[in-house]
Amino acid sequence: MAPLIIVGAGLAGWTTVREFRKLDTATPVVVVTQDSGDFYAKPSLSNAFAQKRSPEQLISTPAAKMVETLNVTLLNHASVTHMDTASRSITLTQGDAVQTLAYRQLVLATGAQPIRVPVQGNAADQVWSINSLDDFKVVFSALSPHAVSASSSEIDSKTVVIMGAGLIGCEFANDLVQSGYQVHVADPSSRPLAALLPEAASMQLADALRALGVQWHFGTTVQAVDRTEGTLQVTLSNGDTLAAHAVLSAIGLRADTRIAANAGIAVERGILVNAQLRTSAAQVYALGDCAQYASAGQRTLPYVMPIMHAAKALAATLLGTSTVLEFPLMPVAIKTPAMPLVVVAAHPSIAGQWQADDPESTNAWIFVDEQGQQRGFVLSGKQTTRRMEFAKRTIS
């Protein structure tokens, strides 16, 4: 029997396996992944420094245990080089070995890749992104007390420059500044999380992180990174320069559609999937950060809760019970302890405006469409405990 093959061993891939195994314990399942296959929670990467957790401590279940518990064949440190939807097969490399595998069904759970913008300078290749446990290992090693103390400059020895004041950039800024690092954040917008928050909430976050020591550089970007006598010299587009030990890029993520696109499967911002998570190719499905969901109004949803709902629906569909994926309202908690935030964003196509929920409250905002209906909300500080109350009032 040709197996069910799942490409990707992140939250989307392993959760699909778990949900599938609840319904079917016998069908062969093969998981293909470029990394080790160890299971960890990707959101934990952006608060690990403050919690003093090492890369090894972030692993909740080693790959060998996942294989044993879920009865799968794991092909780790392997890359898919070709996919043939006509013959229903994939070709992959694993070390020096090359093999072709036939599949009964194929699930693409390839995640997303960091968006990288061009940076000049002789140390441009030393700008890091943290999008996986392997990425975190590199940065953790470089920012460890031993590595930092070996820096040639007292000024830059605990300084990190972050490119991007979006969700990931703000979470890392909060995490690193609480861990004792001097943190600079550069962003072309005028405030943090400008695309997601109303201005008042955004400024609350900016002030809270500033109070911890984060230094904002709005209306500018990192133009060049040069290494000079052991120090990274970071030049901003406004002409300012910063001395740093490390530079992190947190510009954002882009769905990894490469395998699908090379196989002729329809992609836009992500891999296009219908309400049953089917792609344009027969017996090929997608979910997670790589997918563009019809059930979400043709949006990508790079968050945990959508993955959990999608995996459960997909498992049933894979076993012959065609299941329509329906997303409930899913508030997103932003991990910035300096100013806790819970957000439900309205669909980008909905015209409307942000307004205070209560003129006397400064920690709750609602997004109201042109018909006066609440389509989203933002809660900050202690108001985050009211997420369920606001969710019941919101039309998704």
Side-chain angles (χ1 to χ4, degrees), residues 292-357:
Q292 183 174 326
Y293 296 105
S295 297
Q298 298 300 335
R299 280 187 291 177
T300 57
L301 297 174
Y303 306 110
V304 171
M305 288 310 298
I307 289 174
M308 310 306 286
H309 287 281
K312 187 172 184 178
L314 178 57
T317 294
L318 291 171
L319 287 165
T321 303
S322 185
T323 303
V324 172
L325 172 61
E326 296 180 351
F327 287 118
L329 200 71
M330 298 174 289
V332 175
I334 299 174
K335 300 190 302 299
T336 46
M339 177 55 66
L341 291 161
V342 170
V343 180
V344 168
H347 192 282
S349 66
I350 296 175
Q353 62 183 1
W354 287 105
Q355 63 184 46
D357 177 61

Side-chain angles (χ1 to χ4, degrees), residues 1 51 54 69 107 120 123 132 144 163 174 227 384 386:
M1 180 188 300
Q51 294 178 359
S54 68
T69 303
V107 176
Q120 301 173 15
S132 68
S144 66
M163 300 167 56
N174 200 149
R227 182 164 291 282
T384 56
R386 300 175 65 194

Side-chain angles (χ1 to χ4, degrees), residues 110-115 252-259 267-272 288-292 300-302:
T110 50
Q113 294 295 314
I115 296 172
L253 298 174
R254 180 180 291 115
D256 190 345
T257 63
R258 291 172 294 181
I259 294 173
V267 302
E268 289 180 0
R269 292 183 302 281
I271 302 169
L272 291 172
D289 293 1
C290 68
Q292 183 174 326
T300 57
L301 297 174

Side-chain angles (χ1 to χ4, degrees), residues 69-83:
T69 303
L70 297 172
N71 184 27
V72 302
T73 298
L74 175 65
L75 301 177
N76 57 6
H77 304 296
S79 298
V80 175
T81 57
H82 181 70
M83 175 179 171

Side-chain angles (χ1 to χ4, degrees), residues 159 177 182-186 209-210 213-218 242:
T159 300
V177 77
Q182 298 178 42
V183 178
H184 295 261
V185 181
L209 289 175
R210 185 181 292 110
V214 173
Q215 299 181 56
W216 300 105
H217 303 267
F218 293 120
L242 305 169

Side-chain angles (χ1 to χ4, degrees), residues 21 62 67 80 114 129 170 186 206 210 222 257 259 276 383:
R21 280 293 185 237
V67 169
V80 175
S129 294
C170 288
R210 185 181 292 110
V222 171
T257 63
I259 294 173
Q276 291 82 23
Q383 292 292 328

Side-chain angles (χ1 to χ4, degrees), residues 116 118-128 224-227 232:
R116 301 299 296 261
V119 174
Q120 301 173 15
N122 62 27
D125 60 346
Q126 296 175 40
V127 175
W128 295 315
V225 179
D226 292 281
R227 182 164 291 282
L232 291 178

